[in-house]
Amino acid sequence: MSTERVNEILATLNKSQTENRLKYYQPYTFQKRFHESGKDANQRLLMAANRVGKSYVGAMEMSIHLTGLYPDWWTGKRFKKPIRAWVCGASNETTRDICQKELFGQPDNPRDKGHGSIPKHLIGETTRKPGVPNAHSSVLVKHKSGGWSRVAFKAYEMGSEKFMGESIDLVWLDEEPPQDIYSQCITRTLDKQGQVFLTFTPESGMTEVVQNFTNELKPMQALITAGWEDAEHLTEDMKQQILAALPPHER
């Protein structure tokens, strides 16, 4: 085989791995446990240390449901048709820079579209968020059934009244929400028997939201925890660098 042909094959493989990351997703043990917990729980919290991949696993879970492309190993919740979903963060900017980036690629680089967890060829019409550069308000995602799922982006800074009204199948809360917003998200999913899942580090201590999962788990709730030892990508040098940058109370 010629060098030119080898380079061509490598380029095609690299393009596929970059623009269809979902196809190559191999979760860590704790990430797989989090996905599996959706089979029996409609309120789930992944409470984990910084840099272990919380937002990454949240984006992968959201992408799987939006597309309907459930892996062979999947034993968690399954939606049988296109869904309506919310992705939420603390501010419009952090939602864009963390969640939107994980799902669709670097927000300020058009060439990076499709380099997130949602395959490029399944990304449909995008609506921009007024007043927030490079931020999406909502995006259509092609579902396996042939229809379109819709994911909208919201921020806690908008206030709980912006979380009222709609019926939603799935909500991802990245970073800890205020209790009133968390309650609204649960309410929005009730009539569709949907789910709410959260991914965050409990940096504010024993808040009401944290207590919902740590004091006594109720039926249909699940708590998955993970530390640095669960994240295979973190080397000892990386752990020491992160540790050195944290004040004692955050360590």
Side-chain angles (χ1 to χ4, degrees):
M1 185 179 295
S2 68
T3 301
E4 182 179 350
R5 179 54 180 162
V6 170
N7 290 336
E8 182 181 332
I9 292 173
L10 291 175
T12 300
L13 178 61
N14 180 67
K15 180 179 175 66
S16 176
Q17 291 176 333
T18 300
E19 298 182 354
N20 193 356
R21 291 169 58 194
L22 192 60
K23 179 179 179 180
Y24 301 92
Y25 178 44
Q26 296 293 327
Y28 296 154
T29 299
F30 82 89
Q31 295 170 331
K32 194 171 182 180
R33 284 177 54 225
F34 176 70
H35 296 313
E36 291 172 344
S37 68
K39 179 179 179 181
D40 301 310
N42 57 22
Q43 298 176 43
R44 294 179 288 146
L45 169 57
L46 173 58
M47 188 164 65
N50 285 306
R51 313 312 303 170
V52 303
K54 301 183 301 296
S55 298
Y56 174 73
V57 70
M60 284 297 178
E61 168 113 6
M62 178 59 70
S63 299
I64 289 169
H65 292 307
L66 287 170
T67 63
L69 298 175
Y70 294 98
D72 292 339
W73 50 261
W74 187 270
T75 59
K77 167 78 172 181
R78 288 176 181 256
F79 292 96
K80 297 180 181 179
K81 59 183 181 179
I83 65 170
R84 295 179 66 86
W86 286 349
V87 171
C88 315
S91 68
N92 286 315
E93 287 75 15
T94 58
T95 303
R96 174 197 64 196
D97 295 342
I98 300 173
C99 302
Q100 180 183 318
K101 177 184 177 181
E102 288 286 356
L103 289 166
F104 297 104
Q106 185 65 37
D108 60 357
N109 183 2
R111 294 182 180 178
D112 214 39
K113 178 182 178 181
H115 290 189
S117 58
I118 296 178
K120 183 175 182 179
H121 66 285
L122 299 180
I123 300 174
E125 182 179 352
T126 299
T127 303
R128 292 192 172 275
K129 187 178 290 290
V132 187
N134 305 310
H136 299 335
S137 177
S138 65
V139 182
L140 295 180
V141 177
K142 191 73 171 180
H143 190 269
K144 180 182 178 180
S145 67
W148 294 89
S149 294
R150 179 181 180 273
V151 56
F153 293 87
K154 292 182 176 290
Y156 310 151
E157 66 181 4
M158 298 164 64
S160 60
E161 66 276 3
K162 298 297 184 181
F163 289 75
M164 298 177 181
E166 286 189 76
S167 292
I168 299 297
D169 295 290
L170 185 65
V171 179
W172 169 26
L173 299 160
D174 189 58
E175 300 304 333
E176 183 178 352
Q179 177 61 45
D180 59 343
I181 288 179
Y182 178 54
S183 298
Q184 280 296 328
C185 290
I186 294 173
T187 302
R188 302 281 69 80
T189 60
L190 287 178
D191 63 334
K192 289 193 170 187
Q193 298 182 324
Q195 291 196 349
V196 177
F197 67 86
L198 308 90
T199 55
F200 65 78
T201 301
E203 296 180 348
S204 299
M206 192 59 69
T207 63
E208 190 172 355
V209 171
V210 172
Q211 290 182 52
N212 284 335
F213 289 88
T214 56
N215 283 355
E216 183 178 354
L217 279 177
K218 304 172 186 65
M220 303 299 290
Q221 286 186 325
L223 171 63
I224 307 298
T225 60
W228 284 350
E229 68 277 5
D230 299 301
E232 299 171 16
H233 63 279
L234 290 178
T235 65
E236 287 303 316
D237 286 344
M238 293 169 68
K239 294 175 186 177
Q240 291 304 315
Q241 289 179 28
I242 298 171
L243 201 60
L246 297 175
H249 73 280
E250 289 189 9
R251 297 180 188 181

